[in-house]
Structure formats: C-alpha cells, structure tokens
Amino acid sequence: MSAQEQEANIGKVLSFLREWDRGDSAVRIRLLNTFLTENAEKTFYELEVEFAQVASLFLARLTTWMRLTYRSATSLGLQLRAVGVFLSASNQDQYLTEFLEDGGIHILLHILSHSKPKQDDKAEALRLLLIVSNAGRSYKELICESHGVEVIAECLAMSDTAETQQLAGIVLDSLSNGNPKYQDQIYKSLIAIMACPSAEAQQVILHILHTVQLKLKTAHHSIIAPVLNLLGSLHLVVQHKAINLILDLNHYDVKAMLLSGLVALLRPIKEEGQHQITEEMIMMKGSLPVFVQQAAAAKTIRLLAEKDQELSKELFSLGVIQHLLHVMGNREHNDSQIQASLALEHFVHLFPEIREHVQKAMGSILFAAFMYKAETFYMNMDGRQAETLLSNQVNLSQVFNGNKSDVD
C-alpha cells in the first residue's frame, strides 16, 4: 500500500470512528451491519490493514457501548457478533487480551445471568466464551475465577432453547479440559443441575458428566441420588444416558451406594396392602414415573450383573432376587415385569443354587413359562399369582454358605 493509499485509509478510519462517537443507536447499528458485512472471517492482519493499524480503538468503543447498554439494547446480538469478528480472527491474542482487560468476561457472564437478554443473544455470548475458553488454560481459569461455571451451568439448566443448552454444555465441556484446578467445581456444578426441569438440558448434562467423570479418579456421593432419579424420566434418551452414567459409576468408590440405591428402587414404598392401582390412579398419584424408574433399575441391574460375576454376588447379598420377584408381580407396568424377568433369568442361570427357591416362589407352572421365555412370561400370570410374587418372602441368605433355606 502506497503512502497516499495509507493516508486515505487513515482518513477513512478516522471518519468511521468520528461517526461512531457522534452517532446515536441507529447510526451505530448501521455501522455495525456494515462492519459485519465487510469484515466477517477476516484475519488479524486483514483487520489491522482495514483499520489502519488501530482496529483496537474500534474494539474498545464497541466493548464500552455493549457494557453500558446490554441490559436494554435491542442491538445486543449485533454487538456480540461484531466482537466475535475480532475474537475469531487468527492470531487474535491481542484483541482477546484487550477485550478481557475491558471486562469482557464479566459482560458476557452478566448477559447470561440477566433475565432481559433474549436466548439468541445468550447463545452469542456463549460462543464468545467458548472462544475465550479454547484460547488456553489461563483463560479457562479466568472464566472460572469470575464465577463463570455457576453462571453457565445455571444458564444451561434454565434455558428453554436447544441452541443455548447445547452451547452452554460445549462451554462447560471446554472448561473441563486441561483445567485441573477447576475440574471438580465443574463436576459438582453439573451434579447440582441434574434435577433441572428440561429433559433436553438433562441430556446435555448427562453427556458432559459422562466425559468429565471418566477424567476423575473418584466419584462424589452426591451424584447417586439425582442420577437414580433420572431413571424415572419419561424421556427415553435421558433414561438411556442415565443408565450409561451408572455403568461408569460402578467402577468408582460409590459402587456400594449405587447398588443399594438400585435395589431399593425395585420396591418403591406404597401404602400398606396396596398392590393394585388403576391407570387413573397411576396418573393422579405420579406412580407412572415410579414404575418407569423401577423398570429402568431392573434393566440397569441386569446390565451391571452381566458384566461381572462378583458384582452379581454383591447384588445377591442385597436381596435383589426377592425384589425382582416382587417387581415381576407388578401387573400395572408390563415393562417392569419384563426387565425384572430378564434380570432374574441372568441370576438363575449364573447361580443354579437359587433355582429351587425361585421355582417355589413362582409355582411350577409360572416358573416353566419363565424358563421358556422370560420376557413374555408375564402374559401367563393371573391375579393370584401376581399377588403371591408381590408378597413373596424368599429366604436366600445362606445359599452361598451351602445351606439352602426353604421359602418361608
């Protein structure tokens, strides 16, 4: 570029900045639209040439305007996209540093935590936070030191749009990589929002928890209750991801608590003597999620037991056989019966010692149907047989000591 061209370019930039400084919101919105049209995806070098080596002066003005107006500005999304041009430029450390020194992280986090910005604007803020996080460990720590984990996690839990949920999850996942100082904080924050009302958000949370958990040497006990609760989700994807997380947790120091919790779900507490519940009562009293949780617990127990004979023995010692027999009598939810039957089939084949006791609990006819095809045996069950299974009192406490006790 010749000296004359440089001088003309400087004049153009000074005119642009002067118009910005003197202009109202309408003028600045027009200038931003022009900036985005002409400069999207430009590199650091190209931006510097375009702005006569003083692009930072415009970034500073833009950041200041956004800080002053983000609570009410209708142009917030436009402002964020313009900042993104600078932060996305290759060799962008200079722009990133300047943006952060002007309080950029705090602005973005305030946008996420404030109720007025639209979800689209929060999505743009998350995109910028992702750029910051991906810039390196020191930037991740800066976000975390600014209470970013709590703000982003809350945004994920409370958002009602898939885009914002996904982006919040991606940012949290980025923050968890190469950031050992704050990895535990991210992990516990994810656990804390598992009970959020959105099934879509729960899917994202479970996915990230799965990846974060694999990086940790231990599991926190607080994860057990919420992940077991998600087995009762009526959204199959959530339930599937919860089961996969439980399969991971089995390898950590919370295994005993996890197994006890799963077995307990097989026999949900109901009013004494109440075995038969009408479909209307299921919906009114919320028993359907309880039965869905019961079926999912039985399925998870089978998946765990099939992987490890020693684990099968641990489940056995927790009374899983009696509980599975009880579930098989639940004629109000066929999937509970099917999943419990498949789980019990595994235990009967693995431990022939219990076959006689299970047969006595079921009766010969029902047991024959069970052994022929476990997943369809419930079709051969009448009300009396179901009642017998619901109230079974099989004593298997000494089976592995060589003293097979009888059915009470």
Side-chain angles (χ1 to χ4, degrees), residues 312-395:
S312 294
K313 288 185 178 181
E314 290 182 54
L315 286 164
F316 182 93
S317 69
L318 293 171
V320 72
I321 305 303
Q322 298 94 313
H323 285 70
L324 289 172
L325 285 167
H326 174 85
V327 178
M328 290 164 69
N330 180 10
R331 299 177 75 200
E332 301 300 331
H333 194 63
N334 292 150
D335 193 44
S336 287
Q337 294 179 294
I338 293 169
Q339 296 300 335
S341 300
L342 293 171
L344 183 61
E345 182 183 37
H346 163 78
F347 286 101
V348 170
H349 287 303
L350 183 62
F351 305 127
E353 303 94 324
I354 69 173
R355 180 185 177 110
E356 176 184 349
H357 302 278
V358 173
Q359 182 174 0
K360 286 182 179 179
M362 289 187 182
S364 298
I365 296 176
L366 199 58
F367 182 75
F370 165 73
M371 294 300 292
Y372 173 69
K373 196 168 186 180
E375 61 265 39
T376 60
F377 103 101
Y378 70 92
M379 298 179 181
N380 300 285
M381 184 187 305
D382 59 29
R384 181 187 59 78
Q385 291 168 323
E387 192 70 25
T388 298
L389 290 177
L390 284 168
S391 59
N392 79 84
Q393 295 293 324
V394 181
N395 186 349

Coordinates of all heavy atoms in Angstrom, one line a residue, residues 312-395:
S312 N -22.5 -59.5 40.6 CA -23.7 -60.2 40.8 C -23.9 -60.8 42.2 O -25.0 -60.7 42.7 CB -23.8 -61.4 39.8 OG -23.8 -60.9 38.4
K313 N -22.8 -61.2 42.8 CA -22.9 -61.7 44.2 C -23.2 -60.6 45.1 O -23.9 -60.8 46.1 CB -21.6 -62.4 44.5 CG -21.4 -63.8 43.9 CD -20.1 -64.4 44.4 CE -19.9 -65.8 43.8 NZ -18.7 -66.5 44.3
E314 N -22.6 -59.4 44.9 CA -22.9 -58.3 45.7 C -24.4 -57.9 45.6 O -25.0 -57.6 46.7 CB -22.1 -57.1 45.3 CG -20.6 -57.2 45.6 CD -19.8 -55.9 45.2 OE1 -20.2 -54.8 45.6 OE2 -18.9 -56.1 44.4
L315 N -25.0 -57.9 44.4 CA -26.4 -57.6 44.3 C -27.2 -58.7 45.0 O -28.2 -58.4 45.6 CB -26.7 -57.6 42.8 CG -26.2 -56.3 42.1 CD1 -26.3 -56.5 40.6 CD2 -27.1 -55.1 42.5
F316 N -26.8 -59.9 44.9 CA -27.5 -61.0 45.5 C -27.6 -60.8 47.0 O -28.6 -61.0 47.6 CB -26.8 -62.3 45.2 CG -27.4 -63.6 45.8 CD1 -28.4 -64.3 45.0 CD2 -27.2 -64.0 47.1 CE1 -29.0 -65.4 45.6 CE2 -27.8 -65.1 47.6 CZ -28.7 -65.8 46.9
S317 N -26.4 -60.4 47.6 CA -26.4 -60.2 49.1 C -27.3 -59.0 49.5 O -27.6 -58.9 50.7 CB -24.9 -59.9 49.5 OG -24.5 -58.6 49.0
L318 N -27.6 -58.1 48.6 CA -28.5 -57.0 48.9 C -30.0 -57.4 48.7 O -30.9 -56.5 48.9 CB -28.2 -55.8 47.9 CG -26.9 -55.2 48.1 CD1 -26.6 -54.2 47.0 CD2 -26.8 -54.5 49.5
G319 N -30.3 -58.6 48.4 CA -31.7 -59.1 48.4 C -32.3 -58.9 47.0 O -33.5 -58.7 46.9
V320 N -31.5 -58.8 46.0 CA -32.0 -58.5 44.6 C -33.0 -59.5 44.1 O -34.0 -59.2 43.4 CB -30.9 -58.3 43.6 CG1 -30.2 -59.6 43.3 CG2 -31.4 -57.5 42.4
I321 N -32.8 -60.8 44.5 CA -33.7 -61.8 44.0 C -35.2 -61.6 44.5 O -36.1 -61.6 43.7 CB -33.3 -63.2 44.4 CG1 -31.8 -63.5 44.0 CG2 -34.2 -64.3 43.8 CD1 -31.6 -63.3 42.5
Q322 N -35.3 -61.4 45.8 CA -36.6 -61.1 46.3 C -37.3 -59.9 45.7 O -38.5 -59.9 45.4 CB -36.5 -60.9 47.9 CG -35.9 -62.1 48.6 CD -34.4 -62.1 48.8 OE1 -33.7 -61.8 47.9 NE2 -34.0 -62.3 50.1
H323 N -36.5 -58.9 45.5 CA -37.0 -57.6 44.9 C -37.4 -57.8 43.5 O -38.4 -57.3 43.0 CB -36.0 -56.5 45.1 CG -35.8 -55.9 46.4 ND1 -35.3 -56.6 47.5 CD2 -36.2 -54.7 46.9 CE1 -35.3 -55.9 48.6 NE2 -35.8 -54.7 48.3
L324 N -36.6 -58.6 42.7 CA -37.0 -58.8 41.3 C -38.3 -59.6 41.3 O -39.1 -59.4 40.4 CB -35.9 -59.6 40.6 CG -34.6 -58.7 40.3 CD1 -33.5 -59.6 39.8 CD2 -34.9 -57.6 39.4
L325 N -38.5 -60.6 42.1 CA -39.7 -61.4 42.2 C -40.9 -60.5 42.5 O -42.0 -60.6 41.9 CB -39.6 -62.5 43.2 CG -38.7 -63.7 42.9 CD1 -38.5 -64.5 44.1 CD2 -39.4 -64.5 41.8
H326 N -40.7 -59.5 43.3 CA -41.7 -58.5 43.7 C -42.1 -57.7 42.4 O -43.3 -57.5 42.1 CB -41.2 -57.6 44.8 CG -42.2 -56.5 45.1 ND1 -43.2 -56.6 46.0 CD2 -42.2 -55.2 44.6 CE1 -43.9 -55.5 46.0 NE2 -43.3 -54.6 45.2
V327 N -41.1 -57.3 41.7 CA -41.4 -56.5 40.5 C -42.1 -57.3 39.5 O -43.0 -56.8 38.8 CB -40.1 -55.9 39.9 CG1 -40.3 -55.1 38.6 CG2 -39.3 -55.0 40.9
M328 N -41.8 -58.5 39.4 CA -42.4 -59.4 38.4 C -43.9 -59.5 38.6 O -44.7 -59.9 37.7 CB -41.8 -60.8 38.3 CG -40.4 -60.7 37.7 SD -39.4 -62.2 38.1 CE -40.2 -63.4 37.1
G329 N -44.4 -59.2 39.8 CA -45.8 -59.3 40.1 C -46.5 -57.9 39.9 O -47.7 -57.8 40.1
N330 N -45.8 -56.9 39.4 CA -46.4 -55.6 39.1 C -47.2 -55.6 37.8 O -46.6 -55.2 36.8 CB -45.3 -54.6 39.2 CG -45.9 -53.2 38.9 OD1 -47.1 -53.0 38.9 ND2 -45.0 -52.2 38.7
R331 N -48.4 -56.0 37.8 CA -49.2 -56.1 36.6 C -49.6 -54.7 36.1 O -50.2 -54.6 35.0 CB -50.4 -57.0 36.9 CG -50.1 -58.4 37.3 CD -51.4 -59.2 37.6 NE -52.1 -59.6 36.4 CZ -53.4 -59.9 36.3 NH1 -54.1 -59.9 37.5 NH2 -53.9 -60.3 35.2
E332 N -49.3 -53.7 36.8 CA -49.7 -52.3 36.4 C -48.7 -51.8 35.4 O -48.9 -50.7 34.8 CB -49.8 -51.4 37.6 CG -50.8 -51.8 38.6 CD -52.2 -51.9 38.1 OE1 -52.5 -51.1 37.1 OE2 -53.0 -52.7 38.6
H333 N -47.5 -52.5 35.3 CA -46.5 -51.9 34.4 C -45.7 -53.1 33.8 O -44.8 -53.7 34.4 CB -45.5 -51.0 35.1 CG -44.7 -50.2 34.2 ND1 -45.2 -49.2 33.3 CD2 -43.3 -50.2 34.0 CE1 -44.2 -48.7 32.7 NE2 -43.0 -49.2 33.1
N334 N -46.1 -53.5 32.5 CA -45.5 -54.6 31.9 C -44.0 -54.5 31.7 O -43.3 -55.5 31.8 CB -46.2 -54.9 30.6 CG -47.6 -55.3 30.7 OD1 -48.4 -55.0 29.8 ND2 -48.0 -56.0 31.8
D335 N -43.5 -53.3 31.4 CA -42.1 -53.2 31.2 C -41.3 -53.5 32.5 O -40.2 -54.1 32.4 CB -41.7 -51.8 30.7 CG -40.3 -51.7 30.2 OD1 -39.9 -52.7 29.5 OD2 -39.6 -50.8 30.5
S336 N -41.9 -53.2 33.7 CA -41.2 -53.6 34.9 C -41.1 -55.1 35.0 O -40.1 -55.7 35.4 CB -42.0 -53.1 36.1 OG -41.9 -51.7 36.3
Q337 N -42.2 -55.8 34.6 CA -42.2 -57.2 34.7 C -41.2 -57.8 33.7 O -40.4 -58.7 34.0 CB -43.6 -57.8 34.3 CG -44.6 -57.4 35.4 CD -46.0 -58.0 35.0 OE1 -46.6 -57.5 34.0 NE2 -46.5 -58.9 35.7
I338 N -41.1 -57.3 32.5 CA -40.2 -57.8 31.5 C -38.7 -57.6 31.9 O -37.9 -58.5 31.9 CB -40.4 -57.1 30.2 CG1 -41.8 -57.5 29.6 CG2 -39.3 -57.4 29.2 CD1 -42.2 -56.6 28.4
Q339 N -38.4 -56.4 32.4 CA -37.0 -56.1 32.8 C -36.6 -56.9 34.0 O -35.5 -57.4 34.1 CB -36.8 -54.6 33.0 CG -37.0 -53.7 31.8 CD -36.1 -54.0 30.7 OE1 -35.0 -54.5 30.9 NE2 -36.5 -53.7 29.5
A340 N -37.5 -57.0 35.0 CA -37.2 -57.8 36.1 C -37.0 -59.3 35.8 O -36.1 -60.0 36.3 CB -38.3 -57.7 37.2
S341 N -37.8 -59.8 34.8 CA -37.7 -61.2 34.4 C -36.4 -61.5 33.8 O -35.7 -62.5 34.0 CB -38.8 -61.5 33.4 OG -40.1 -61.3 34.1
L342 N -35.9 -60.5 32.9 CA -34.7 -60.7 32.2 C -33.5 -60.7 33.2 O -32.5 -61.4 33.1 CB -34.5 -59.6 31.1 CG -35.5 -59.7 29.9 CD1 -35.3 -58.5 29.1 CD2 -35.2 -61.0 29.1
A343 N -33.6 -59.8 34.2 CA -32.6 -59.7 35.2 C -32.5 -61.0 36.1 O -31.5 -61.6 36.3 CB -32.8 -58.5 36.1
L344 N -33.7 -61.5 36.5 CA -33.8 -62.7 37.3 C -33.3 -63.9 36.5 O -32.6 -64.8 37.0 CB -35.2 -62.9 37.8 CG -35.4 -64.1 38.7 CD1 -34.6 -64.0 40.0 CD2 -36.9 -64.3 39.0
E345 N -33.6 -63.9 35.2 CA -33.1 -65.0 34.4 C -31.6 -65.1 34.4 O -31.0 -66.2 34.5 CB -33.5 -64.8 32.9 CG -33.1 -65.9 32.0 CD -33.6 -65.6 30.5 OE1 -33.5 -64.4 30.1 OE2 -33.9 -66.5 29.8
H346 N -30.9 -64.0 34.4 CA -29.4 -64.0 34.5 C -29.0 -64.6 35.8 O -28.1 -65.4 35.8 CB -28.9 -62.5 34.4 CG -27.5 -62.4 34.9 ND1 -26.4 -62.7 34.2 CD2 -27.0 -61.9 36.1 CE1 -25.3 -62.5 34.9 NE2 -25.7 -62.0 36.1
F347 N -29.6 -64.2 36.9 CA -29.2 -64.7 38.2 C -29.5 -66.2 38.3 O -28.7 -67.0 38.9 CB -29.9 -63.9 39.3 CG -29.4 -62.6 39.5 CD1 -30.0 -61.5 39.0 CD2 -28.2 -62.4 40.3 CE1 -29.5 -60.2 39.2 CE2 -27.7 -61.1 40.4 CZ -28.3 -60.0 39.9
V348 N -30.6 -66.7 37.8 CA -30.9 -68.1 37.9 C -29.9 -68.9 37.1 O -29.5 -70.0 37.6 CB -32.4 -68.3 37.4 CG1 -32.6 -69.8 37.2 CG2 -33.4 -67.7 38.3
H349 N -29.5 -68.5 35.9 CA -28.5 -69.2 35.2 C -27.1 -69.1 35.8 O -26.4 -70.1 35.7 CB -28.5 -68.7 33.7 CG -29.7 -69.1 32.9 ND1 -30.1 -70.4 32.7 CD2 -30.6 -68.3 32.2 CE1 -31.2 -70.4 32.0 NE2 -31.5 -69.2 31.7
L350 N -26.8 -68.0 36.4 CA -25.5 -67.8 37.0 C -25.3 -68.6 38.3 O -24.3 -69.2 38.6 CB -25.2 -66.3 37.2 CG -23.9 -66.0 37.8 CD1 -22.8 -66.3 36.8 CD2 -23.8 -64.5 38.1
F351 N -26.4 -68.6 39.1 CA -26.4 -69.3 40.4 C -27.5 -70.4 40.4 O -28.6 -70.1 40.9 CB -26.6 -68.3 41.5 CG -25.7 -67.1 41.5 CD1 -26.2 -65.8 41.5 CD2 -24.3 -67.3 41.5 CE1 -25.3 -64.7 41.5 CE2 -23.4 -66.2 41.5 CZ -23.9 -64.9 41.5
P352 N -27.2 -71.6 39.9 CA -28.2 -72.7 40.0 C -28.7 -72.9 41.4 O -29.8 -73.5 41.5 CB -27.4 -73.8 39.4 CG -26.2 -73.2 38.6 CD -25.9 -72.0 39.3
E353 N -27.9 -72.5 42.4 CA -28.4 -72.8 43.8 C -29.7 -72.2 44.1 O -30.4 -72.7 45.0 CB -27.3 -72.2 44.8 CG -25.9 -72.8 44.6 CD -25.1 -71.9 43.7 OE1 -25.6 -71.3 42.7 OE2 -23.8 -71.8 44.0
I354 N -30.1 -71.1 43.4 CA -31.3 -70.4 43.8 C -32.5 -70.9 43.0 O -33.6 -70.5 43.2 CB -31.2 -68.9 43.6 CG1 -31.1 -68.5 42.1 CG2 -30.0 -68.3 44.4 CD1 -31.1 -67.0 41.8
R355 N -32.3 -71.7 42.0 CA -33.3 -72.2 41.1 C -34.5 -72.7 41.8 O -35.7 -72.4 41.6 CB -32.8 -73.2 40.1 CG -33.8 -73.7 39.1 CD -33.2 -74.8 38.3 NE -34.2 -75.4 37.4 CZ -34.2 -75.2 36.1 NH1 -33.3 -74.5 35.5 NH2 -35.2 -75.8 35.3
E356 N -34.3 -73.6 42.8 CA -35.4 -74.3 43.6 C -36.2 -73.2 44.3 O -37.4 -73.3 44.4 CB -34.7 -75.3 44.5 CG -35.8 -76.0 45.4 CD -35.1 -76.9 46.4 OE1 -33.9 -77.1 46.3 OE2 -35.8 -77.3 47.4
H357 N -35.5 -72.2 44.9 CA -36.2 -71.2 45.7 C -37.1 -70.3 44.8 O -38.2 -70.0 45.2 CB -35.2 -70.4 46.5 CG -34.3 -71.2 47.3 ND1 -34.7 -71.6 48.6 CD2 -33.1 -71.7 47.1 CE1 -33.7 -72.3 49.2 NE2 -32.7 -72.3 48.3
V358 N -36.6 -70.0 43.6 CA -37.3 -69.2 42.7 C -38.6 -69.9 42.2 O -39.7 -69.4 42.1 CB -36.5 -68.7 41.5 CG1 -37.3 -68.0 40.5 CG2 -35.4 -67.8 42.0
Q359 N -38.4 -71.2 41.9 CA -39.5 -72.1 41.5 C -40.6 -72.2 42.5 O -41.8 -72.1 42.2 CB -39.0 -73.5 41.1 CG -40.1 -74.4 40.6 CD -39.5 -75.7 40.1 OE1 -38.3 -75.9 40.1 NE2 -40.4 -76.6 39.6
K360 N -40.2 -72.3 43.8 CA -41.2 -72.4 44.9 C -41.9 -71.0 45.0 O -43.1 -71.0 45.3 CB -40.5 -72.7 46.2 CG -40.1 -74.1 46.3 CD -39.4 -74.4 47.7 CE -39.0 -75.9 47.8 NZ -38.4 -76.1 49.1
A361 N -41.2 -69.9 44.8 CA -41.9 -68.6 44.9 C -42.9 -68.4 43.8 O -43.9 -67.8 44.0 CB -40.8 -67.5 44.9
M362 N -42.6 -68.9 42.6 CA -43.4 -68.7 41.4 C -44.5 -69.7 41.3 O -45.6 -69.4 40.8 CB -42.6 -68.7 40.1 CG -41.7 -67.5 39.9 SD -41.0 -67.7 38.3 CE -39.9 -66.3 38.2
G363 N -44.2 -70.9 41.7 CA -45.1 -72.1 41.4 C -44.6 -72.7 40.1 O -44.0 -72.1 39.2
S364 N -44.8 -74.0 40.0 CA -44.2 -74.8 38.9 C -44.6 -74.3 37.5 O -43.8 -74.2 36.6 CB -44.5 -76.3 39.0 OG -44.0 -76.8 40.2
I365 N -45.9 -74.0 37.4 CA -46.4 -73.6 36.0 C -45.9 -72.3 35.6 O -45.4 -72.1 34.5 CB -48.0 -73.5 36.1 CG1 -48.6 -74.9 36.3 CG2 -48.5 -73.0 34.7 CD1 -50.1 -74.9 36.5
L366 N -45.9 -71.3 36.5 CA -45.4 -70.0 36.1 C -43.8 -70.0 35.9 O -43.3 -69.4 35.0 CB -45.7 -69.0 37.2 CG -45.6 -67.5 36.9 CD1 -46.6 -67.2 35.7 CD2 -46.0 -66.6 38.1
F367 N -43.2 -70.9 36.7 CA -41.7 -71.0 36.6 C -41.3 -71.6 35.3 O -40.4 -71.2 34.6 CB -41.2 -71.8 37.7 CG -39.7 -72.0 37.7 CD1 -38.9 -70.9 38.1 CD2 -39.1 -73.2 37.3 CE1 -37.5 -71.1 38.0 CE2 -37.7 -73.3 37.2 CZ -36.9 -72.2 37.6
A368 N -42.1 -72.6 34.8 CA -41.9 -73.2 33.5 C -42.0 -72.1 32.4 O -41.2 -72.1 31.4 CB -42.8 -74.3 33.3
A369 N -43.0 -71.3 32.5 CA -43.2 -70.2 31.5 C -42.0 -69.2 31.6 O -41.6 -68.7 30.5 CB -44.5 -69.5 31.7
F370 N -41.6 -69.0 32.8 CA -40.4 -68.1 32.9 C -39.2 -68.6 32.3 O -38.4 -67.9 31.6 CB -40.2 -67.8 34.4 CG -38.9 -67.2 34.8 CD1 -38.6 -65.9 34.5 CD2 -37.9 -68.0 35.4 CE1 -37.4 -65.3 34.8 CE2 -36.7 -67.4 35.7 CZ -36.4 -66.1 35.5
M371 N -38.9 -69.9 32.5 CA -37.7 -70.5 32.0 C -37.8 -70.7 30.5 O -36.8 -70.6 29.8 CB -37.5 -71.9 32.6 CG -37.1 -71.8 34.1 SD -35.6 -70.8 34.5 CE -34.4 -71.9 33.7
Y372 N -39.0 -70.8 29.9 CA -39.2 -71.0 28.5 C -38.8 -69.7 27.8 O -38.1 -69.6 26.8 CB -40.6 -71.4 28.2 CG -40.9 -71.5 26.7 CD1 -40.3 -72.4 25.9 CD2 -41.8 -70.5 26.1 CE1 -40.6 -72.4 24.5 CE2 -42.0 -70.5 24.8 CZ -41.4 -71.5 24.0 OH -41.7 -71.5 22.6
K373 N -39.4 -68.6 28.3 CA -39.2 -67.3 27.6 C -39.5 -66.2 28.7 O -40.6 -65.8 28.9 CB -40.0 -67.1 26.4 CG -39.6 -65.9 25.5 CD -40.2 -66.0 24.1 CE -39.6 -64.9 23.2 NZ -40.3 -64.9 21.9
A374 N -38.4 -65.7 29.3 CA -38.6 -64.8 30.4 C -39.3 -63.5 30.1 O -40.1 -63.0 30.9 CB -37.2 -64.4 31.0
E375 N -39.1 -62.9 28.9 CA -39.7 -61.6 28.6 C -41.1 -61.7 28.3 O -41.8 -60.7 28.3 CB -38.9 -61.0 27.4 CG -39.0 -61.7 26.1 CD -37.8 -62.6 25.9 OE1 -37.3 -63.2 26.9 OE2 -37.3 -62.7 24.8
T376 N -41.7 -62.9 28.1 CA -43.1 -63.0 27.8 C -43.9 -63.7 28.9 O -45.1 -63.9 28.8 CB -43.4 -63.7 26.5 OG1 -42.9 -65.0 26.5 CG2 -42.8 -62.9 25.4
F377 N -43.2 -64.1 30.0 CA -43.8 -65.0 31.0 C -45.0 -64.3 31.7 O -46.0 -64.9 32.1 CB -42.8 -65.4 32.0 CG -42.9 -64.7 33.3 CD1 -43.5 -65.2 34.4 CD2 -42.4 -63.4 33.4 CE1 -43.7 -64.5 35.6 CE2 -42.5 -62.7 34.6 CZ -43.1 -63.2 35.7
Y378 N -44.9 -62.9 31.8 CA -46.0 -62.2 32.5 C -47.3 -62.4 31.8 O -48.4 -62.2 32.5 CB -45.6 -60.7 32.5 CG -45.7 -60.0 31.2 CD1 -46.9 -59.3 30.8 CD2 -44.6 -60.0 30.3 CE1 -46.9 -58.7 29.6 CE2 -44.7 -59.3 29.1 CZ -45.8 -58.7 28.7 OH -45.9 -58.1 27.5
M379 N -47.4 -62.7 30.6 CA -48.6 -62.9 29.9 C -49.4 -64.2 30.4 O -50.6 -64.3 30.2 CB -48.4 -63.1 28.4 CG -47.8 -61.9 27.7 SD -47.5 -62.2 25.9 CE -46.8 -60.7 25.4
N380 N -48.7 -65.0 31.1 CA -49.3 -66.3 31.6 C -49.7 -66.1 33.1 O -50.1 -67.1 33.7 CB -48.3 -67.4 31.5 CG -47.9 -67.7 30.1 OD1 -48.6 -68.3 29.3 ND2 -46.7 -67.3 29.7
M381 N -49.6 -64.9 33.6 CA -49.8 -64.7 35.1 C -51.2 -64.2 35.4 O -51.7 -63.3 34.7 CB -48.8 -63.7 35.6 CG -48.8 -63.4 37.1 SD -47.7 -62.1 37.6 CE -46.2 -62.6 36.9
D382 N -51.8 -64.8 36.4 CA -53.1 -64.3 36.8 C -53.0 -63.5 38.0 O -51.9 -63.3 38.6 CB -54.1 -65.5 37.0 CG -53.7 -66.5 38.1 OD1 -52.9 -66.1 39.0 OD2 -54.0 -67.7 38.0
G383 N -54.1 -62.9 38.5 CA -54.0 -62.0 39.7 C -53.5 -62.7 40.9 O -52.8 -62.1 41.7
R384 N -53.9 -63.9 41.1 CA -53.5 -64.6 42.4 C -52.0 -64.8 42.3 O -51.3 -64.6 43.3 CB -54.2 -65.9 42.5 CG -53.8 -66.8 43.7 CD -54.5 -68.1 43.7 NE -54.0 -68.9 42.5 CZ -52.8 -69.5 42.4 NH1 -52.0 -69.4 43.4 NH2 -52.5 -70.2 41.3
Q385 N -51.4 -65.2 41.2 CA -50.0 -65.5 41.1 C -49.2 -64.2 41.2 O -48.2 -64.1 41.9 CB -49.7 -66.1 39.7 CG -50.2 -67.5 39.5 CD -50.1 -68.0 38.1 OE1 -50.4 -67.2 37.2 NE2 -49.8 -69.3 37.9
A386 N -49.8 -63.1 40.7 CA -49.1 -61.8 40.8 C -49.1 -61.4 42.3 O -48.1 -60.9 42.8 CB -49.8 -60.7 40.0
E387 N -50.2 -61.6 43.0 CA -50.2 -61.2 44.4 C -49.2 -62.0 45.2 O -48.6 -61.5 46.1 CB -51.7 -61.5 44.9 CG -51.9 -60.9 46.3 CD -52.0 -59.4 46.3 OE1 -52.3 -58.8 45.2 OE2 -51.7 -58.8 47.3
T388 N -49.0 -63.3 44.8 CA -48.1 -64.1 45.5 C -46.6 -63.6 45.3 O -45.9 -63.5 46.3 CB -48.1 -65.6 45.0 OG1 -49.4 -66.1 45.2 CG2 -47.1 -66.5 45.7
L389 N -46.3 -63.2 44.1 CA -45.0 -62.6 43.9 C -44.8 -61.3 44.6 O -43.7 -61.0 45.1 CB -44.8 -62.4 42.4 CG -44.6 -63.7 41.5 CD1 -44.5 -63.3 40.1 CD2 -43.4 -64.5 42.0
L390 N -45.8 -60.4 44.7 CA -45.7 -59.2 45.3 C -45.4 -59.3 46.8 O -44.8 -58.5 47.4 CB -47.0 -58.4 45.1 CG -47.2 -57.7 43.8 CD1 -48.6 -57.2 43.6 CD2 -46.2 -56.6 43.5
S391 N -45.9 -60.4 47.4 CA -45.8 -60.6 48.8 C -44.8 -61.6 49.2 O -44.7 -62.1 50.3 CB -47.1 -60.9 49.5 OG -47.7 -62.0 48.9
N392 N -43.9 -62.1 48.2 CA -43.0 -63.2 48.4 C -42.1 -62.9 49.6 O -41.7 -61.8 49.8 CB -42.2 -63.5 47.1 CG -41.1 -62.5 46.9 OD1 -40.0 -62.7 47.5 ND2 -41.3 -61.5 46.1
Q393 N -41.7 -64.0 50.3 CA -40.8 -63.9 51.4 C -39.7 -65.0 51.2 O -39.5 -65.8 52.1 CB -41.5 -64.1 52.7 CG -42.5 -63.0 53.1 CD -41.9 -61.7 53.3 OE1 -40.8 -61.7 53.9 NE2 -42.5 -60.6 52.9
V394 N -39.0 -64.9 50.1 CA -38.0 -65.9 49.8 C -36.8 -65.6 50.7 O -36.3 -64.5 50.7 CB -37.6 -65.9 48.3 CG1 -36.5 -66.9 48.0 CG2 -38.8 -66.1 47.5
N395 N -36.3 -66.7 51.3 CA -35.1 -66.5 52.2 C -33.9 -67.2 51.5 O -33.8 -68.4 51.4 CB -35.3 -67.2 53.6 CG -34.2 -66.9 54.5 OD1 -33.1 -66.4 54.1 ND2 -34.4 -67.2 55.8

